[in-house]
Amino acid sequence: MTTQANTPPKEETPGSRGWLRDHSELGVGLMLLVLGILVLTDALTMDVDITQRGPVGPKTVPIVVGIGLLVVSVLLSLDVLRGGRGEAEGGEDIDLSEPSDWRTVLLLAGVFLGNAVLIGPLGFPISGALLFWGSAYALGSRHLQRDPLIAAGLSLVTYFIFNNLLGVPLPGGPLMGVI
């Protein structure tokens, strides 16, 4: 029986897959950089009334937010390159060794897309009920008598709160005269 000699582990270079996995937070830094550039570009090209008076106008907050995004992007990237790592939350119960549940993700995406398509012709109370029931079903609830009733009630309460109490008009659809 032959034994293999202990070989030292391969040194990982910046081009290797392990280096990218260990520095995956750089993706968040890149996303923040792109978002900051977009916010600043939009703020600086904003059409502002020339008669505006005072130092604080509609461009001020977007410019501050855009600069903040750029600063955070640079600081995060520097921290990651210096060896900093984000720590997982103590109560995190996600098993990263398990594969993704694409069936649930696709069901939820279909439910949200269906809601976006149906909200105009059917109105919020009906499309919202389908959204709430479909989301519960996609996430594993199989109470076929109870879930649609809860979804319909939740949809009607949401419609009432937004439409009547908050003043945010939602499409009523065919139920417009009934509710």
Side-chain angles (χ1 to χ4, degrees):
M1 197 157 109
T2 61
T3 61
Q4 294 180 354
N6 290 339
T7 57
K10 289 173 65 176
E11 179 120 358
E12 295 187 1
T13 60
S16 71
R17 188 174 178 103
W19 187 89
L20 290 175
R21 186 175 300 233
D22 289 342
H23 296 85
S24 61
E25 289 95 344
L26 288 175
V28 176
L30 179 64
M31 181 192 68
L32 292 173
L33 177 73
V34 169
L35 189 61
I37 290 171
L38 286 173
V39 168
L40 280 176
T41 303
D42 193 39
L44 294 174
T45 59
M46 187 184 301
D47 188 26
V48 178
D49 188 11
I50 199 144
T51 61
Q52 172 196 331
R53 302 203 183 225
V56 178
K59 289 184 174 185
T60 305
V61 172
I63 288 174
V64 169
V65 169
I67 291 171
L69 286 168
L70 293 178
V71 168
V72 169
S73 168
V74 170
L75 292 175
L76 175 66
S77 299
L78 287 174
D79 182 52
V80 170
L81 291 173
R82 291 181 179 164
R85 299 269 311 161
E87 294 183 25
E89 293 181 27
E92 202 168 317
D93 61 351
I94 297 172
D95 186 4
L96 296 176
S97 64
E98 290 292 319
S100 298
D101 185 7
W102 288 108
R103 179 182 179 274
T104 301
V105 171
L106 292 175
L107 281 172
L108 283 173
V111 166
F112 283 113
L113 182 62
N115 183 54
V117 170
L118 295 174
I119 196 168
L122 295 181
F124 183 82
I126 295 173
S127 71
L130 293 173
L131 169 74
F132 295 137
W133 175 78
S135 298
Y137 184 85
L139 294 172
S141 180
R142 298 295 185 259
H143 297 278
L144 298 179
Q145 290 82 26
R146 182 187 67 187
D147 289 347
L149 294 175
I150 292 174
L154 186 58
S155 179
L156 288 172
V157 167
T158 304
Y159 178 78
F160 176 76
I161 289 173
F162 274 86
N163 204 48
N164 297 343
L165 298 180
L166 296 176
V168 177
L170 294 174
L175 298 178
M176 189 69 137
V178 178
I179 48 178

